[in-house]
């Protein structure tokens, strides 16, 4: 995978080292010259360090972001993480953006923008590692004899529906053998079992229960709302 990271502090450096260790290609955008020089001397593998502001499209282009599989923003500023992910998503159409959120009160803002957000670097690394092994699916567990999977998916910003009205569960074009069974839309990550009158909104996290052979189709149906 090719991963672009905005922010080369301790968190960005750790994430880059984990990804490089696993054989991925990494580009890091770091605004501080001293930190950028440190990264250049400490990292090993297929990596590129860009000295610049990751909130500016020119530096994202320098990182060859158009071919990125994942964009991750790990700076200590939530506004910078939000803006850089918005640029990566809207301008360069990066298929997956993950942001570090420093203040829990900002979680809702990121979710409403359809950006995956976490507060733990270890979790970020795990998410990307699962992408490598499972083709972009975060598999929670296997059921029965391994024929059914529970898969967690973040609802993106809507392309074909009204953001305020949301989308009824019944209107999501899921394949046969795939169901949305739970949804979370608050800062505490509390899940609720869906009902016939449940609506989805951008930033929600849903859990799909599906036959293994249609999991990818179910996930794609959520991503294309």
């Amino acid at each position: 995978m090719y991963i672009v990271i905005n922010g080369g502090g301790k968190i960005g450096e750790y994430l880059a080292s984990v990804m490089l260790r696993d054989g991925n290609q990494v580009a890091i955008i770091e605004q501080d010259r001293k930190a950028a020089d440190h990264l250049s001397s400490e990292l090993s593998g297929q990596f590129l360090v860009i000295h610049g502001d990751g909130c500016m499209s020119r530096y994202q282009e320098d990182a060859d972001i158009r071919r990125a599989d994942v964009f991750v923003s790990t700076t200590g500023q939530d506004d910078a993480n939000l803006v850089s992910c918005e640029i990566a998503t809207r301008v360069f159409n990066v298929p997956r953006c993950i942001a570090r959120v420093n203040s829990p009160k900002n979680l809702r803002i990121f979710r409403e923008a359809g950006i995956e957000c976490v507060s733990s670097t270890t979790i970020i690394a795990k998410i990307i590692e699962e992408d490598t092994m499972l083709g972009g699916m975060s598999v929670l567990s296997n059921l029965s004899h391994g024929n059914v999977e529970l898969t967690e998916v973040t609802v993106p910003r809507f392309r074909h529906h009204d953001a305020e009205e949301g989308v009824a569960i019944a209107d999501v074009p899921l394949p046969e053998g795939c169901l949305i069974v739970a949804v979370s839309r608050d800062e505490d990550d509390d899940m609720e079992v869906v009902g016939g009158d449940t609506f989805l909104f951008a930033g929600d996290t849903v859990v799909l229960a599906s036959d293994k052979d249609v999991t990818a189709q179910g996930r794609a149906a959520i991503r294309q709302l």
Side-chain angles (χ1 to χ4, degrees):
M1 295 181 71
Y2 182 54
I3 302 145
V4 177
I5 301 172
N6 177 36
K10 291 182 179 180
I11 292 178
E13 180 180 356
Y14 170 75
L15 180 60
S17 65
V18 171
M19 295 297 101
L20 290 167
R21 183 190 63 203
D22 292 340
N24 299 291
Q25 296 179 313
V26 175
I28 307 178
I29 307 172
E30 170 53 46
Q31 195 167 9
D32 181 78
R33 167 64 75 177
K34 186 176 180 180
D37 290 342
H38 169 80
L39 291 167
S40 296
S41 62
E42 291 296 321
L43 295 176
S44 60
Q46 293 183 295
F47 72 92
L48 172 67
V49 177
I50 305 293
H51 175 226
D53 184 353
C55 292
M56 298 179 65
S57 59
R58 57 179 284 198
Y59 293 113
Q60 291 195 15
E61 283 194 292
D62 288 345
D64 200 11
I65 196 170
R66 295 182 190 276
R67 72 178 183 91
D69 299 293
V70 184
F71 177 83
V72 187
S73 191
T74 67
T75 77
Q77 303 295 323
D78 286 350
D79 54 350
N81 294 337
L82 179 63
V83 170
S84 61
C85 283
E86 285 277 81
I87 292 173
T89 300
R90 287 174 168 268
V91 178
F92 298 112
N93 298 313
V94 177
R96 191 168 196 188
C97 291
I98 305 170
R100 171 193 176 196
V101 179
N102 302 278
S103 174
K105 68 181 181 180
N106 291 329
L107 282 170
R108 182 177 295 277
I109 298 173
F110 281 80
R111 288 172 175 167
E112 288 177 351
I115 297 171
E116 294 181 60
C117 49
V118 293
S119 58
S120 166
T121 309
T122 303
I123 293 176
I124 294 175
K126 183 65 175 177
I127 288 171
I128 298 175
E129 286 171 350
E130 286 178 344
D131 253 15
T132 303
M133 295 183 291
L134 303 167
M137 297 175 292
S138 176
V139 177
L140 304 180
S141 62
N142 290 334
L143 305 176
S144 185
H145 298 291
N147 297 322
V148 177
E149 291 179 333
L150 292 181
T151 307
E152 193 174 81
V153 183
T154 299
V155 180
R157 179 184 287 105
F158 293 142
R159 300 177 182 179
H160 310 293
H161 300 276
D162 185 274
E164 294 188 4
E165 293 184 1
V167 180
I169 291 288
D171 293 334
V172 179
L174 295 173
E176 185 175 353
C178 182
L179 295 172
I180 297 175
V181 296
V183 61
S184 171
R185 60 171 58 98
D186 57 42
E187 294 86 345
D188 298 323
D189 287 330
D190 290 334
M191 283 282 180
E192 64 179 59
V193 177
V194 303
D197 58 351
T198 301
F199 279 72
L200 298 182
F201 298 90
D204 287 354
T205 298
V206 302
V207 175
L208 297 178
S210 60
D211 294 333
K212 276 189 172 182
D213 57 352
V214 297
T215 299
Q217 297 175 43
R219 185 176 183 274
I222 299 294
R223 296 287 190 186
Q224 295 171 7
L225 289 174

